[in-house]
């Protein structure tokens, strides 16, 4: 018997997040561990009248490619990959790791090569999303691996995941519409300002966003969601930021990351654990030492670190920054094969917008 939470989530993803219409071409992708949710999403796409292409992934295959492929194989991008980026109207990807450290033994330089090769394909999708001709959504199916990372039993983790998505409500969509209204107030305020200055006991960093667009992330692209984000003017970032939560990427956990920026470029990067991986990864390409995203987490239903960025970057009372590629709809222009979000707690911090306090003790005060 199907889990009613999977059915409920599938309905929200198909009809609210992606707003699929009859006749649209949809790509549904997930690892095999996500089969129960994958099945319900497929069913709901069919009922919505969509034309669905499905891809179930074996996680071992990516590890084999990254470890054993020649450089030519590693950087090969097929015509099908390019066609896919141009073909579908919407795409849903479900995270469901059975081993979140699957790629921890891979040379980070090889991962960087693979990401750099696919950057032009990713740009096609990003540009289409910005133009409104492509919609995508990322969600997560709870597994024992994710629960273990979060320090929870599977049943407790399921409650955490579905609670963060407001699926405990009779009508989750109404909950997300309310979230949208609350975040829009923040977006409207930030849109009127240029210089953002963030100060905590270990962070002092400024950036400018004048002329850039702040976005209201309300469950359409990530699910669950809960953030407002933009892109800084590329050469405006100056100062030092200390990311208080571990920065996790490709199965590597990097702790106590500190980045110092000068005129938009990382000129110093340190970590108490995983520093070699940090340094190798931020040298992916010409754009990977610049910020492509700046954001504030606004989902106060998420109040604990879980080692899964889909949730951690949304924690109410935090901000995050992403090294690498930008979202074109913000007006940002930085390009990179990397997009690495890192999260900083702001519960003991202040944020100034053009010199005025707009945020303190973990909340906007506007």
């Amino acid at each position: 018997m199907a889990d009613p939470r999977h059915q409920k989530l599938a309905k929200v993803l198909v009809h609210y997040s992606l707003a699929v219409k009859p006749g649209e071409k949809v790509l549904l992708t997930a690892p095999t561990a996500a089969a129960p949710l994958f099945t319900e999403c497929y069913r709901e796409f069919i009922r919505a009248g969509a034309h669905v292409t499905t891809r179930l992934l074996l996680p071992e295959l990516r590890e084999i490619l990254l470890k054993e492929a020649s450089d030519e194989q590693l950087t090969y991008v097929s015509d099908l990959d390019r066609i896919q980026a141009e073909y579908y109207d919407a795409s849903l990807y479900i995270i469901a790791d059975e081993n979140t450290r699957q790629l921890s033994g891979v040379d980070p330089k090889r991962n960087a090569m693979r990401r750099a090769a696919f950057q032009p394909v990713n740009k096609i999708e990003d540009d289409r999303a910005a133009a409104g001709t492509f919609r995508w959504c990322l969600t997560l199916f709870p597994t024992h691996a994710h629960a273990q990372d979060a320090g929870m039993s599977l049943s407790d983790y399921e409650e955490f995941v579905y609670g963060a998505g407001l699926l405990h409500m009779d009508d989750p969509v109404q909950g997300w519409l309310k979230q949208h209204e609350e975040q829009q107030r923040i977006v409207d305020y930030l849109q009127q300002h240029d210089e953002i200055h963030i100060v905590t006991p270990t962070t002092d960093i400024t950036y400018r966003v004048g002329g850039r667009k702040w976005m209201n992330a309300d469950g359409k692209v990530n699910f669950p969601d809960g953030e407002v984000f933009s892109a800084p003017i590329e050469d405006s970032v100056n100062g030092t930021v200390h990311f208080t939560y571990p920065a996790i990427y490709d199965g590597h956990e990097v702790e106590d990351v500190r980045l110092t920026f000068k005129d938009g470029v990382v000129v110093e990067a340190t970590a108490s654990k995983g520093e070699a991986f940090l340094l190798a990864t931020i040298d992916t390409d010409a754009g990977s030492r610049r910020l492509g995203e700046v954001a504030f987490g606004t989902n106060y239903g998420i109040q604990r670190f879980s080692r899964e960025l889909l949730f951690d970057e949304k924690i109410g009372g935090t901000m995050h920054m992403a090294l690498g590629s930008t979202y074109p709809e913000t007006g940002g222009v930085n390009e990179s094969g990397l997009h690495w979000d890192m999260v900083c707690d702001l519960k003991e911090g202040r944020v100034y917008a053009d010199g005025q306090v707009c945020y303190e003790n973990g909340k906007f005060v506007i």
Side-chain angles (χ1 to χ4, degrees), residues 183 186 190 196 198 207 214 226-230 293-299 313-320 346 351 358-359 364:
Q183 292 176 175
I186 299 168
L190 293 173
I196 304 298
I198 300 173
Y207 56 81
W214 284 90
E227 66 173 279
V228 297
F229 69 93
S230 188
E293 179 190 1
V294 289
F296 296 94
T298 56
N299 189 331
E313 68 174 4
K314 315 299 192 312
I315 296 172
T318 67
M319 71 90 169
H320 59 275
L346 289 184
V351 179
C358 66
Y359 187 108
F364 279 93

Side-chain angles (χ1 to χ4, degrees), residues 203-246:
T203 290
D204 190 340
I205 191 165
T206 61
Y207 56 81
R208 293 177 51 230
V209 285
R212 297 295 165 87
K213 185 176 181 181
W214 284 90
M215 308 299 296
N216 186 337
D218 56 359
K220 300 290 180 62
V221 174
N222 284 176
F223 195 90
D225 219 329
E227 66 173 279
V228 297
F229 69 93
S230 188
I233 295 171
E234 282 69 27
D235 62 357
S236 73
V237 188
N238 284 284
T240 297
V241 56
H242 173 214
F243 294 103
T244 46
Y245 293 107

Side-chain angles (χ1 to χ4, degrees), residues 22-272:
E24 288 193 315
K25 303 180 292 293
V26 177
L27 177 64
L28 174 59
T29 308
T32 51
L37 178 58
F38 186 94
T39 300
E40 294 307 318
C41 288
Y42 180 80
R43 188 193 313 278
E44 202 58 38
F45 279 130
I46 292 297
R47 289 175 174 174
H51 303 299
V52 192
T53 301
T54 58
R55 287 189 176 176
L56 274 171
L57 308 176
L58 291 174
E60 295 82 2
L61 302 187
R62 181 171 174 81
E63 182 183 9
I64 291 171
L65 177 71
L66 290 169
K67 286 185 174 179
E68 300 186 24
S70 66
D71 288 355
E72 180 184 1
Q73 289 173 308
L74 195 62
T75 56
Y76 174 73
V77 180
S78 76
D79 291 340
L80 288 177
D81 291 313
R82 294 188 178 89
I83 292 169
Q84 174 182 306
E86 298 169 345
Y87 178 77
Y88 290 100
D89 300 302
S91 173
L92 174 62
Y93 188 96
I94 304 170
I95 302 168
D97 293 324
E98 294 178 279
N99 178 0
T100 59
R101 302 295 184 264
Q102 183 92 37
L103 302 180
S104 60
V106 171
D107 182 347
K109 292 181 180 179
R110 290 178 61 77
N111 248 327
M113 288 173 60
R114 184 70 174 171
R115 285 193 300 271
F118 271 82
Q119 193 274 329
V121 173
N122 295 335
K123 188 176 186 303
I124 293 172
E125 292 186 337
D126 288 344
D127 288 346
R128 289 187 62 213
T133 60
F134 175 68
R135 308 184 304 283
W136 60 274
C137 185
L138 177 71
T139 193
L140 179 141
F141 177 78
T143 65
H144 283 288
H146 291 299
Q148 188 171 20
D149 276 357
M152 303 184 206
S153 68
L154 180 59
S155 61
D156 286 345
Y157 187 67
E158 288 173 336
E159 291 299 315
F160 167 79
V161 168
Y162 299 129
L166 306 182
L167 295 178
H168 58 286
M169 300 178 65
D170 291 337
D171 188 350
V173 171
Q174 287 302 312
W176 285 106
L177 291 175
K178 182 179 179 182
Q179 182 82 12
H180 172 90
E181 292 176 1
E182 294 172 352
Q183 292 176 175
Q184 191 60 43
R185 181 173 59 90
I186 299 168
V187 166
D188 291 343
Y189 174 85
L190 293 173
Q191 199 66 59
Q192 300 173 38
H193 295 275
D194 180 20
E195 185 184 79
I196 304 298
H197 182 192
I198 300 173
V199 181
T200 76
T202 54
T203 290
D204 190 340
I205 191 165
T206 61
Y207 56 81
R208 293 177 51 230
V209 285
R212 297 295 165 87
K213 185 176 181 181
W214 284 90
M215 308 299 296
N216 186 337
D218 56 359
K220 300 290 180 62
V221 174
N222 284 176
F223 195 90
D225 219 329
E227 66 173 279
V228 297
F229 69 93
S230 188
I233 295 171
E234 282 69 27
D235 62 357
S236 73
V237 188
N238 284 284
T240 297
V241 56
H242 173 214
F243 294 103
T244 46
Y245 293 107
I248 299 172
Y249 199 82
D250 280 344
H252 294 263
E253 187 167 322
V254 186
E255 295 182 0
D256 198 33
V257 174
R258 296 172 191 261
L259 303 178
T260 298
F261 291 83
K262 182 174 175 55
D263 297 332
V265 179
V266 175
V267 294
E268 184 178 352
T270 64
S272 61

